[in-house]
Each structure stands twice: as C-alpha cells, then as structure tokens.
Amino acid sequence: MFKALLIEKNEDLYQTRLTELDDSQLPEGDVTVRVEFSTLNYKDGLAISGRSPVVRRFPMVPGIDLAGVVEASNHTRYKTGDRVLLNGWGVGETHWGGLAQKAQLKGDWLIPLPDQLSARQAMAIGTAGYTAMLCLMALERHGLSPERGEVLVTGANGGVGSFAIALLARLGYSVTASTGRPAEADYLKQLGASTIIDRSELSNPGRPLAAERWAAAIDSVGSHTLANVCASTRADGTVAACGLAQGMDFPATVAPFILRGVSLLGINSVTRPHEERVAAWQRLCSELDLAQLDDITREIALSEAIDAANDLLDGKVRGRVVVDVNR
C-alpha cells in the first residue's frame, strides 16, 4: 500500500482526497519509481481543485513532476536503484502522477537525476525551472545576449518567473519583473531583478503598438499581458510564451510582428525530446545558483497539498512548493 492524492469524478461530484492505494492499482508502465518528492504547479492546482478540466481520465493521481528511485524496471535505460526525475508527458492529466509515494510510468518519460542535485533540489526546480530554462534556450537560439537590452519577466512571483529572473540575472541580463504583488519587490530584487513594474501596466487592453521597451520577454501570463508585451518589445526582439495565468486568449494584432519584426516563440515543456531535457537540466545545474532555492521554495507534506493547491490558484503562493510525499 502507498499514500496518494486521488481525484475522482462521479456525475457532478469532483473530489480530491488523500488515500491509500494498492500496488495492483498502478497504471501500466515499464518503470516503477519510489517517489521521494513532487511539487505543486499551476496545472496541479487546476487538477486538484477542479477549477479547470485539465484531468482527462479518472480516477487520477495528480502531480506533473516527480523525483525518486527506481524500484523495478523493464526499460533498457534504467535499473533498480537509479535516481530519476520526470516533468510533463501528460502525467497527472492522462497518466497517474507524482503526488503519491509510488508511480509506474514509461521509462522514455524519465531522465537521470543529475549528480549535482538531490531529489528535493530537483523538485524545488521542477517544471517551473525547467520551463524557464527552455525559454532562455529558445531566446538564445534567436540571438538574445545581455548586450541586446532589458528582458521582461511577467508573472514574476510565480515559479517560472522566479527562476527566469534568477537565471537571466546570473547570466548578466538586466531584468524587469512584472508582478501583481509589489510588496514582494525585495524578494524579486534578491533574485536579480533590477526594475519592478506593476502588472496593471500590462494586464488591461492596450494599443496595437506601444513604446519600445524590452529586447525580449518571458511570459507565463498570456491574454492581454502577452499582447501588450509583444506591442512593447523592441524591433527584432523576441518573446517566449509559456503560460496562461491570465487567460488562454491572445487579443493582439499583427502589428508588432510585421512592423517591428518581433518574434513570438511558443514553449512546450510537456513533450520535449530526451536529449533536450537532459541539456536543459545540465544547464540548470551549472547556471542556477542552488543556494537561492531556499529563498524560492517552501516544503509541505502530502497531506497539505490540497489546501496549498487552492492557495496557489488564489495567488497566495510565492515561488515554488515542494511536496514531501513521505510525510
């Protein structure tokens, strides 16, 4: 038996509860992992609360991240005792995820846990840090370098935003952070932001073109914010879009793209190839100041995850939430 969060749906009743499950209930997979830590991401909050229909199959164990030790394997890449981590691949939506003491999954979804990281550190980084690195890598492929100018990070107090600021600042970029919580300015400056702006500057309907401000941006918000970010990006600048905290809509015009040559890059962290995942995590190990993880992260027990998920959606959580599934 193992403990897990379980989401069930019966007609109009949507419920998430902490329960015990039997190993025989685990879904199909060629690797069984004894989970040590998982996380709470925005998508996990939606799944646990039922506020958005992200779960595709029921019953479902949520949790799009996990790190732990291989307990059994029929996959050529892994053997018993190997330390592994996982991000994405529909885990927590279509396949049981990491908010449990045990998971059974496809070995192709896993990557080796880097030697430089503990399981807890890997989950402190999680999908948020991994996505921030994918954004940075995409911007670099399109020519971004520190001398090009300021980089804007929206949703700055969230997980992706926090890691984006930390990574950019450590690489020598000048970072502007957009946040709805100006009281957290000291936290954002500690991460490396040089300028703080209120999200209200970007979150309302704006002009097709605005004054040129940023050389590039990492946006996890979407909707009017993303439209205004594009409208304010300098000529030949680049915007990496990876989230929809404000909304899935994109009420913009083509003006920034055809009059200024702005590029909009979509970042899909869910189904990246194995080699790209490994490369992103290796860069995180070398370019992220691991000492900052304590400032970005707080740890909770599995039993606290349901309440924390609602706090996350209500904007009450700063940075990352790591879940110790064994307490």
Side-chain angles (χ1 to χ4, degrees):
M1 301 292 287
F2 62 96
K3 292 180 181 179
L5 290 190
L6 190 69
I7 303 172
E8 297 172 296
K9 184 179 180 182
N10 298 303
E11 297 181 354
D12 295 331
L13 179 62
Y14 188 105
Q15 181 184 36
T16 303
R17 60 189 175 95
L18 178 63
T19 187
E20 288 197 349
L21 302 173
D22 188 85
D23 287 16
S24 63
Q25 295 175 267
L26 286 166
E28 291 185 4
D30 52 11
V31 178
T32 304
V33 178
R34 187 171 69 254
V35 181
E36 295 178 343
F37 290 93
S38 185
T39 66
L40 278 181
N41 297 281
Y42 193 80
K43 189 178 289 185
D44 298 320
L46 294 174
I48 291 169
S49 67
R51 296 192 198 183
S52 181
V54 298
V55 176
R56 306 302 180 190
R57 296 179 184 173
F58 296 92
M60 178 58 59
V61 173
I64 67 174
D65 290 331
L66 65 85
V69 179
V70 173
E71 189 172 89
S73 174
N74 290 316
H75 193 280
T76 56
R77 193 180 289 140
Y78 303 105
K79 64 182 185 302
T80 301
D82 285 348
R83 303 184 69 78
V84 294
L85 68 88
L86 177 143
N87 312 109
W89 291 113
V91 168
E93 301 172 72
T94 60
H95 190 96
W96 283 16
L99 287 168
Q101 293 175 316
K102 194 170 289 191
Q104 194 158 272
L105 340 104
K106 292 184 179 180
D108 287 344
W109 296 344
L110 301 168
I111 68 168
L113 180 68
D115 292 338
Q116 302 94 317
L117 299 175
S118 67
R120 187 188 186 282
Q121 287 174 319
M123 291 296 93
I125 297 169
T127 285
Y130 159 65
T131 300
M133 178 54 77
L134 290 178
C135 290
L136 175 58
M137 291 165 66
L139 293 174
E140 289 174 340
R141 287 195 298 270
H142 282 73
L144 183 65
S145 58
E147 59 270 17
R148 293 288 298 273
E150 277 187 285
V151 180
L152 171 71
V153 176
T154 67
N157 281 103
V160 174
S162 294
F163 280 107
I165 293 168
L167 287 165
L168 288 163
R170 197 152 192 245
L171 291 172
Y173 289 89
S174 177
V175 184
T176 296
S178 169
T179 178
R181 288 178 273 174
E184 300 283 6
D186 288 344
Y187 163 74
L188 298 174
K189 289 180 179 178
Q190 185 177 352
L191 291 178
S194 54
T195 304
I196 313 294
I197 64 171
D198 194 283
R199 70 181 177 195
S200 61
E201 292 188 32
L202 299 168
S203 59
N204 297 313
R207 298 177 179 179
L209 278 179
E212 298 181 49
R213 300 178 68 177
W214 304 286
I218 294 177
D219 175 67
S220 59
V221 178
S223 192
H224 289 290
T225 296
L226 178 56
N228 288 322
V229 168
C230 291
S232 302
T233 299
R234 296 177 188 170
D236 298 319
T238 310
V239 178
C242 63
L244 43 70
Q246 185 180 4
M248 191 179 291
D249 58 324
F250 182 44
T253 74
V254 298
F257 312 113
I258 64 173
L259 298 180
R260 289 185 182 159
V262 171
S263 296
L264 177 59
L265 311 178
I267 307 300
N268 166 27
S269 66
V270 177
T271 57
R272 304 320 306 150
H274 182 267
E275 295 76 14
E276 188 176 349
R277 291 172 179 269
V278 171
W281 276 95
Q282 286 301 326
R283 284 196 60 180
L284 284 163
C285 291
S286 62
E287 296 175 17
L288 186 67
D289 181 359
L290 298 181
Q292 287 184 309
L293 291 181
D294 288 339
D295 296 327
I296 295 173
T297 307
R298 72 181 179 100
E299 181 184 312
I300 64 171
L302 185 61
S303 59
E304 300 173 273
I306 295 174
D307 288 340
N310 285 292
D311 288 342
L312 178 66
L313 295 183
D314 292 338
K316 299 177 182 178
V317 173
R318 182 181 79 181
R320 298 283 292 149
V321 178
V322 171
V323 183
D324 182 346
V325 300
N326 295 301
R327 72 173 181 91

